[in-house]
C-alpha cells in the first residue's frame, strides 16, 4: 500500500503515518521483497520515520540471505542513503552480503549500491 501511495506522487500524510505505525509491529510478516519495497517507498517519499527504519534495518539484517541480491539489497541500502540514515550495522551486513553476489548484480543494482555507500562515506 505504501508503494502505491508513493508511486502516485501524491502524499497523504495521515495515511502514510498510519501505514508506517502499523508496519513497525508487523515487519516479521513481510517477505524479503516487502522489506525492500517498504524501504524504497519511504525513500521515494522522503519519509524518515525512524521507528520503522530501525525495525526495517533489523529485519533486513536478520533476513539478509533471503533478500534478492540482484536488486532487493541494493534498494534497501539506497533507501537508507537517500534518507541520509547512516545505519552502520545495516551497511556493514549489506557490504558483506553483497560481495559474493557482485557477479549477479544488474547495472542498476551496481550503481545504486556504489552510490549508497559513497553518499554516506562508508568505510
Amino acid at each position: 500500500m505504501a508503494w502505491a501511495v508513493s508511486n502516485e506522487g501524491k502524499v497523504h500524510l495521515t495515511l502514510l503515518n498510519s501505514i508506517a505505525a502499523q508496519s513497525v509491529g508487523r515487519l516479521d510478516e513481510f517477505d524479503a521483497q516487502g522489506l525492500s519495497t517498504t524501504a524504497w517507498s519511504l525513500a521515494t517519499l522522503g519519509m524518515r520515520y525512524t521507528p520503522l527504519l530501525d525495525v526495517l534495518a533489523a529485519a533486513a539484517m536478520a533476513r539478509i540471505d533471503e533478500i534478492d541480491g540482484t536488486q532487493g539489497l541494493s534498494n534497501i541500502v539506497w533507501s537508507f542513503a537517500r534518507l541520509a540514515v547512516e545505519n552502520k550495522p545495516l551497511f556493514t551486513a549489506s557490504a558483506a552480503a553483497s560481495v559474493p553476489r557482485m557477479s549477479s548484480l544488474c547495472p542498476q543494482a551496481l550503481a545504486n549500491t556504489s552510490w549508497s555507500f559513497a553518499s554516506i562515506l562508508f568505510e
Side-chain angles (χ1 to χ4, degrees):
M1 188 167 196
W3 174 85
V5 174
S6 66
N7 204 29
E8 288 296 315
K10 300 174 186 172
V11 177
H12 189 287
L13 289 178
T14 303
L15 175 61
L16 288 175
N17 285 326
S18 179
I19 291 169
Q22 286 299 309
S23 297
V24 168
R26 299 183 65 184
L27 278 183
D28 60 330
E29 298 174 36
F30 288 38
D31 63 10
Q33 183 177 351
L35 296 175
S36 177
T37 303
T38 299
W40 176 87
S41 296
L42 292 171
T44 299
L45 291 166
M47 188 175 178
R48 197 172 174 173
Y49 190 82
T50 304
L52 180 54
L53 290 168
D54 290 344
V55 174
L56 183 61
M61 287 184 291
R63 298 172 57 194
I64 205 156
D65 291 332
E66 298 172 33
I67 298 171
D68 175 20
T70 59
Q71 189 170 355
L73 194 53
S74 70
N75 283 350
I76 292 173
V77 294
W78 174 86
S79 299
F80 276 74
R82 176 79 170 86
L83 292 168
V85 176
E86 188 177 334
N87 186 307
K88 286 194 179 212
L90 173 64
F91 277 83
T92 299
S94 297
S98 294
V99 170
R101 302 176 185 183
M102 280 299 158
S103 64
S104 67
L105 294 181
C106 66
Q108 185 66 53
L110 287 169
N112 287 352
T113 302
S114 60
W115 177 86
S116 301
F117 281 82
S119 72
I120 64 158
L121 304 174
F122 186 81
E123 296 180 18

